[in-house]
Each structure stands twice: as structure tokens, then as C-alpha cells.
Amino acid sequence: MKVVILCGGQGTRIRDVADNIPKPMIPIGNYPILWHIMKYYSLFGHKEFIICLGHQGKVIKEYFLNYQINTSDFTLQLGNKESIQFKNKSQESDWVITFAETGDKAMTGSRIRKIKKYIGDDSQFLLTYGDGLSDVDIDKLIAYHQSHHRILTLTGVRPAGRFGEIMCTDEGVVSEFNEKPQAAEGRINGGFFVCNKELFDYLPDNDDLVFEKEPMMHLVKDQQLMQFNHNGFWQPMDTYREFVLLNGLYENDNAPWKKW
């Protein structure tokens, strides 16, 4: 399946870490968090990516355009750029990446709608955010989605902090979706979606369209939103503390998502 990654939002800046780069390019070890997300999906065989660009999208483009040079040993004869001889083959050489300019100020729902043409004839696709990591089993997530025959599956997680809440029936049908409640108990939206192509029917042409609001509410009303429970690791990177946490896990070889 193609993997759509939302990387265009201006989001929150992490002071002293991401003043001049978009959040998906904040490093964990030697690679940006976006690379870690893509690497994780690729381990499950999903190596075709659609990156929804917006704010500072040029930085993301330039990173991947120069990827082989920046990650490989090579020999160069000065004065002849064509003489570059790479000494090792990148493990990511089979990745296929589409960089889609979805607007500097577009919201999440609008960004997803704008990449419909790149989904092509595929009946399903994967979707996630460019600033969060998990060890969710992608194979089991897809199998669950295909078992219930509804339009959208999200991954419900239990984080340490409060973000928003999902309520669902014992069968997994989402009955209520509150993106940021004041006080509630339950799981939150951890991203890592599986989508049927019919999702685009819920995304009108509106740059202010927030995927997590009206579209999801309409899917809930139509009983077309399901929840896959994930009890393992999930961690966004929104603060300096979370930046330090993720880097610490990676540097100490204790990163749950690092399965390569």
C-alpha cells in the first residue's frame, strides 16, 4: 500500500531544536523523525510514500534529493560531477517517494484530499503524521481494517498525557470522537490509519478542512470509523522533553520502533 504522511503543518516549534526546520526533519540520531517513520513502514513492505508538503517543504525535498550523497561513501573527480562513484548501495534505494505540494496553510483534511490523484486505482492506503513513532504492528492493523469493511481505521493508544479521546463499542465501532476533551478517560488517536478510497467522499474542497473534526465526525455518524487498539509504544515529538526522550531511547539502543 502507498503510505501518505502529513508533513505540511506549521505546528509547534521545539525551541533550540526546530527553529529553522519543519518538525518532520527534527533528528533522532543521525536521521530525521520522518525517515524513522518511513523506515518503520518499509519493514512491513510498504515502500511507496506520498509526502504532503507545506510549511518549509523545500527542506524535506532537499534532504531526499541529496540522500545518497549524504549517507554514502563516494569518490568524486573534481570538475566532473558525473564522475561520482558510490561505494555502497543505500538500503533505502527501493523507496519511491512522491513529494506533493499541498499548500502552506492548508489543514490536514485538505492535504489528504489534494493527494487523491496519487493514490491512483488503489482501493486502500495508509496514512500517518510526520511527527510520531510507534511499534504498532502494521500487518495486524491492515488485517483488522480489511476484516470490518468500513472506510477508516485509526489506531487507539494510551499515552502518558492527555490529547483527545475515542469511545467505541465492544466490536470496535467508534461511537464518539473528541479530539481534545477537557477531562475524559480512554484511548486517543495515535494516527497510523488505514483508509479506503471512499474516504475522499468525506473531504470537501476546503483548505480549512481539519481531518480530525468534520470528516471524522461524519464517519462516526455513518458508523464508518473503527478503532484498532494498540497497547505498546507510541510517542509524538511535540516538546523538547520528548525530543530528548526519543533520542535517548535511540542512542541507548532501546527504541521500540527500531526493528532494523
Side-chain angles (χ1 to χ4, degrees):
M1 288 186 192
K2 295 182 176 72
V3 183
V4 178
I5 307 179
L6 295 167
C7 294
Q10 297 190 21
T12 57
R13 302 275 68 80
I14 300 179
R15 186 174 298 176
D16 299 326
V17 176
D19 293 333
N20 299 313
I21 59 173
K23 191 189 294 184
M25 295 304 295
I26 296 176
I28 298 177
N30 294 326
Y31 297 92
I33 187 172
L34 173 59
W35 179 91
H36 287 264
I37 295 167
M38 297 168 72
K39 186 72 172 179
Y40 188 77
Y41 273 104
S42 73
L43 297 178
F44 292 87
H46 307 288
K47 302 180 180 182
E48 189 169 353
F49 303 95
I50 301 170
I51 309 298
C52 298
L53 300 173
H55 180 65
Q56 292 187 312
K58 181 181 178 181
V59 177
I60 298 175
K61 287 181 177 179
E62 290 178 345
Y63 175 82
F64 286 101
L65 283 171
N66 296 307
Y67 185 77
Q68 190 169 8
I69 289 176
N70 290 332
T71 59
S72 303
D73 296 342
F74 62 89
T75 298
L76 169 66
Q77 179 184 337
L78 291 179
N80 183 3
K81 187 175 181 180
E82 300 302 322
S83 72
I84 295 178
Q85 298 178 9
F86 291 100
K87 302 301 184 181
N88 53 299
K89 184 178 180 181
S90 169
Q91 293 182 355
E92 295 75 47
S93 59
D94 55 352
W95 291 6
V96 178
I97 310 172
T98 298
F99 298 91
E101 291 288 353
T102 57
D104 194 57
K105 297 182 179 180
M107 302 303 286
T108 49
S110 176
R111 295 189 192 282
I112 298 168
R113 181 187 61 79
K114 290 178 180 180
I115 56 86
K116 178 181 179 180
K117 58 187 175 183
Y118 298 123
I119 299 299
D121 296 328
D122 295 358
S123 62
Q124 297 178 335
F125 62 96
L126 301 166
L127 170 69
T128 194
Y129 304 108
D131 61 357
L133 291 165
S134 178
D135 62 353
V136 60
D137 189 317
I138 302 297
D139 288 340
K140 290 182 179 179
L141 171 62
I142 292 172
Y144 175 74
H145 177 78
Q146 294 177 341
S147 72
H148 59 61
H149 306 293
R150 288 178 169 86
I151 291 174
L152 180 66
T153 297
L154 60 75
T155 300
V157 299
R158 295 188 187 277
R162 307 303 307 168
F163 285 82
E165 184 193 31
I166 306 158
M167 302 299 290
C168 67
T169 66
D170 291 340
E171 292 76 26
V173 180
V174 175
S175 58
E176 186 175 350
F177 183 91
N178 297 313
E179 181 61 9
K180 293 185 184 297
Q182 293 300 313
E185 295 183 1
R187 295 178 184 268
I188 70 158
N189 169 24
F192 295 91
F193 303 91
V194 187
C195 318
N196 287 357
K197 198 171 183 180
E198 289 80 6
L199 175 65
F200 293 109
D201 296 336
Y202 288 79
L203 303 176
D205 187 0
N206 177 7
D207 269 3
D208 292 333
L209 183 68
V210 177
F211 177 54
E212 298 80 6
K213 292 185 178 180
E214 288 84 357
M216 280 198 180
M217 301 307 173
H218 291 155
L219 286 162
V220 169
K221 182 179 179 181
D222 294 344
Q223 295 190 322
Q224 290 296 321
L225 177 58
M226 297 288 286
Q227 173 179 296
F228 176 81
N229 292 337
H230 174 60
N231 295 318
F233 177 83
W234 176 83
Q235 180 62 58
M237 185 161 59
D238 292 323
T239 66
Y240 181 76
R241 183 192 65 81
E242 291 167 340
F243 165 76
V244 172
L245 168 65
L246 290 169
N247 273 276
L249 290 172
Y250 186 74
E251 291 167 3
N252 292 308
D253 201 26
N254 193 30
W257 72 90
K258 186 178 181 293
K259 300 181 182 297
W260 53 88

